[in-house]
Amino acid sequence: MKTKQVFTWFATLVLTVTLIGAVPAAAAPEEGPAFRPPSPKFSNAVAFDVSPALRDMQPRPPGPPQPQEIKDVRPDR
């Protein structure tokens, strides 16, 4: 019988805490502009490139080892 009483008190406590936590969130006034999701931006294609299939390309012959230093592809101007 005591276990049933403890369970009842615990369930009541959990329900009360849940309801008290949910009421302020629902009653909060909405201030400022409403949220609007971003709209997608589309652009037209400028160019199309075509390359042969990888299975049709010849493997590249081995060359000298690559240098270990880092090279700037686009150095600052």
Side-chain angles (χ1 to χ4, degrees):
M1 190 70 176
K2 182 158 175 112
T3 306
K4 189 174 181 180
Q5 265 185 330
V6 170
F7 179 73
T8 303
W9 280 104
F10 181 72
T12 305
L13 177 67
V14 168
L15 182 62
T16 304
V17 169
T18 304
L19 289 176
I20 289 174
V23 169
E30 291 187 27
E31 295 180 12
F35 173 75
R36 291 185 333 189
S39 59
K41 296 179 182 177
F42 297 98
S43 62
N44 294 327
V46 176
F48 294 98
D49 291 333
V50 179
S51 63
L54 184 61
R55 66 178 174 268
D56 298 334
M57 298 173 90
Q58 294 296 323
R60 191 173 182 179
Q66 297 293 327
Q68 298 298 323
E69 62 188 52
I70 298 173
K71 292 183 179 180
D72 287 334
V73 177
R74 294 183 66 176
D76 294 334
R77 296 183 183 170

